[in-house]
Amino acid sequence: MAKDPKFTAKETAQIGWYIGRMAKRGIAGENVYQGDLERKVERIIDGAREREARQAVDAAAAEKAARKAAAKAKNRK
């Protein structure tokens, strides 16, 4: 399994809510269907991974732009 991303406060709260609901269903019995809640948790985790990937790309682009601007400023002197 891939490393879990850092979650926002909202994502943490949502995952906690769904896990709580899964636990409640687990108390009802072993044969209770929980696939819908598991899918919701997986979707939140996938969304967090995508968000981190976007942030990494944005940070790399910002760093590249900053280096380019610094080089341009250095050449003007």
Side-chain angles (χ1 to χ4, degrees):
M1 186 173 147
K3 182 183 167 214
D4 285 338
K6 293 194 183 256
F7 297 111
T8 62
K10 179 182 177 182
E11 292 165 343
T12 303
Q14 285 177 328
I15 290 173
W17 175 259
Y18 291 134
I19 289 175
R21 288 182 62 194
M22 282 189 250
K24 188 175 178 182
R25 287 185 186 179
I27 291 170
E30 288 184 24
N31 298 328
V32 177
Y33 180 71
Q34 294 188 13
D36 59 330
L37 297 175
E38 292 170 355
R39 279 194 311 274
K40 288 179 181 182
V41 170
E42 286 301 317
R43 194 173 8 174
I44 293 169
I45 294 170
D46 291 341
R49 284 187 186 122
E50 290 173 6
R51 177 183 41 78
E52 276 199 343
R54 278 193 315 267
Q55 287 176 344
V57 168
D58 291 345
E63 183 180 337
K64 183 178 178 182
R67 279 186 276 146
K68 189 174 183 179
K72 215 176 207 184
K74 185 178 178 183
N75 289 339
R76 286 187 181 173
K77 288 184 178 183

